[in-house]
Amino acid sequence: MKKILGGRGALVHDAGVLTPEPAVIKDSLCAVSRLLGFSGCRVARAGKSPHAEKLFQWLERGWHAGMEWMARSPERRADPAEVLSGCRSVICLSYDYDSPRGRTEGQGSICLYAHGKDYHGILEEKLADLLELLSIYGGEHKGYVDAGPVMERDHAEACGVGWRGKSGLIVRRKGGSRFFIATVLTTLELEPDAPVSHGCGSCRRCADLCPAGAIMENGQVDAGRCLSYWTIEHRGSIPEEMRPLIGSRLYGCDTCVTVCPWNGKPLPDADERFRMSRRLASIPLRDLLSPDADGFAALFRNSPLKRIKREGLLRNGCIVLGNTGTPEDIDFLKALSGESPLVAEHASWAVERILRRHGPGAGSSGARD
């Protein structure tokens, strides 16, 4: 007998490979996924994505900005069989996140998905359990959590996890777009689920209220205009024309999420590990930017923010202070100028912005509001 869920469940099987009907496999998969905390488990038929041409067009237009990895072998990304030979089904799993608190107004906002622990490790562990379950039934399988050559949103839309909103995000009638997507490619033939009807109607809030006008037609996003791209994905200097649009956003941008009517209700049953701690919610921005490399590593060890590294956090923090700071922040910004040329550039810009708002005499020796 072999237990596949460790201490979290009692599912066992005899040695060997089971070959039940596909419906039984799917029922077992859905039941175990619920035990693991996934809010949804649906199946799409494998095949070349119906939106592959949109991907190619998106790349041709340069809307992937500096994300060059998106342009590498797009044909492989568009067809699961290019990733897993003989792939017949794509299992799409949703895992909810929500947070009742955020950072204090003006102190540098963090987008909702990054409020708590990094989701990759948490979901990869759960996915490993599902892969072990599938191994009972034979076949080959590959699982991904937002890190593989898989057009997960296309598959999620095809099998009815939700519909593709005008923001490009997958949206559900219950829970909106506040969920992570994990996918499993499998050579097992499972019954596909049907798509759901589109629920956006004539609503255009996400597109109309996008701070930089990044949301284009057909649910596509021009990353070169997306504040999440600039504050998370981009590693170098942020163009000066984008900096005022960033406002008080320290990491990411949630505008298309917060303005969506389908995200209006809280998700009280969402995993608490993705909620913001009281400490992170209340710490002033300058204190958040002050730790050295070791302090940064300790503070964000299990956080998505570790992705941008300390230099990226300081760069973004300078922009926030430039947009919202006061003369009392000038000495702090000048001290940051010694960190690196990248930080120095943004700190200098921030000082100029503060002086422009408060007058050339502003500063620690003659500050005025």
Side-chain angles (χ1 to χ4, degrees):
M1 302 291 283
K2 179 183 178 185
K3 184 181 293 186
I4 73 164
L5 294 182
R8 288 177 290 189
L11 182 62
V12 296
H13 70 88
D14 294 321
V17 175
L18 303 181
T19 55
E21 293 294 321
V24 175
I25 298 176
K26 187 175 177 181
D27 287 346
S28 175
L29 179 70
C30 290
V32 173
S33 71
R34 286 193 295 271
L35 288 174
L36 292 170
F38 289 101
S39 57
C41 175
R42 298 175 73 88
V43 176
R45 193 183 303 281
K48 185 174 181 179
S49 168
H51 298 297
E53 292 305 318
K54 290 183 180 179
L55 171 64
F56 303 149
Q57 182 186 66
W58 182 74
L59 292 169
E60 289 172 1
R61 289 174 170 175
W63 285 354
H64 59 305
M67 296 182 290
E68 295 300 331
W69 66 89
M70 293 293 296
R72 290 196 289 267
S73 303
E75 296 83 4
R76 184 169 183 260
R77 186 179 297 274
D79 188 350
E82 295 291 326
V83 180
L84 176 64
S85 179
C87 182
R88 293 182 176 85
S89 306
V90 181
I91 302 163
C92 297
L93 302 136
S94 59
Y95 198 92
D96 294 353
Y97 65 85
D98 201 4
S99 182
R101 66 175 70 92
R103 284 185 48 74
T104 304
E105 183 70 24
Q107 291 296 323
S109 65
I110 296 172
C111 60
L112 187 62
Y113 87 83
H115 275 196
K117 304 292 186 183
D118 190 338
Y119 63 93
H120 291 91
I122 292 173
L123 297 192
E124 285 167 359
E125 181 181 346
K126 294 175 181 294
L127 212 55
D129 284 336
L130 286 179
L131 291 174
E132 191 168 357
L133 168 66
L134 288 172
S135 70
I136 299 172
Y137 306 117
E140 295 183 40
H141 326 281
K142 287 187 176 182
Y144 297 100
V145 179
D146 191 30
V150 180
M151 296 177 67
E152 61 272 341
R153 283 183 291 176
D154 284 9
H155 300 304
E157 180 184 25
C159 66
V161 171
W163 68 89
R164 186 182 294 264
K166 292 185 174 72
S167 64
L169 300 174
I170 300 300
V171 185
R172 308 163 298 176
R173 284 180 167 78
K174 183 178 180 181
S177 58
R178 293 162 295 170
F179 64 98
F180 304 113
I181 299 176
T183 53
V184 176
L185 310 184
T186 177
T187 57
L188 296 174
E189 185 87 48
L190 303 177
E191 182 67 24
D193 291 292
V196 296
S197 59
H198 202 284
C200 289
S202 61
C203 179
R204 285 184 46 86
R205 293 184 191 179
C206 58
D208 292 342
L209 296 175
C210 177
I215 297 175
M216 316 306 282
E217 72 274 10
N218 301 320
Q220 292 185 318
V221 174
D222 179 357
R225 300 294 301 174
C226 178
L227 302 185
S228 283
Y229 166 76
W230 288 113
T231 59
I232 299 175
E233 301 292 344
H234 184 67
R235 290 293 180 264
S237 175
I238 295 178
E240 288 198 23
E241 66 268 22
M242 300 302 298
R243 297 175 193 177
L245 300 176
I246 288 173
S248 62
R249 297 170 178 86
L250 185 64
Y251 184 94
C253 175
D254 263 346
T255 299
C256 60
V257 175
T258 57
V259 303
C260 177
W262 295 105
N263 286 321
K265 294 183 179 180
L267 300 175
D269 296 328
D271 195 323
E272 292 187 2
R273 287 175 291 181
F274 299 126
R275 297 179 180 180
M276 185 175 286
S277 68
R278 294 188 183 277
R279 180 191 180 197
L280 184 57
S282 60
I283 184 172
L285 179 57
R286 287 192 341 214
D287 292 344
L288 190 65
L289 301 177
S290 295
D292 59 14
D294 290 339
F296 172 87
L299 184 59
F300 297 112
R301 179 174 292 111
N302 297 312
S303 165
L305 273 75
K306 68 179 183 295
R307 179 178 179 185
I308 63 173
K309 302 182 180 180
R310 181 170 175 268
E311 185 179 55
L313 183 71
L314 294 177
R315 176 201 63 183
N316 295 353
C318 287
I319 292 177
V320 173
L321 289 174
N323 290 327
T324 67
T326 68
E328 286 72 25
D329 296 310
I330 289 178
D331 284 347
F332 177 77
L333 287 164
K334 289 180 177 179
L336 288 181
S337 295
E339 290 288 343
S340 73
L342 177 66
V343 176
E345 175 197 341
H346 292 76
S348 177
W349 174 87
V351 170
E352 290 179 5
R353 290 272 294 185
I354 293 173
L355 292 176
R356 195 179 307 161
R357 284 198 303 274
H358 295 272
S364 58
S365 60
R368 65 177 182 269
D369 293 328

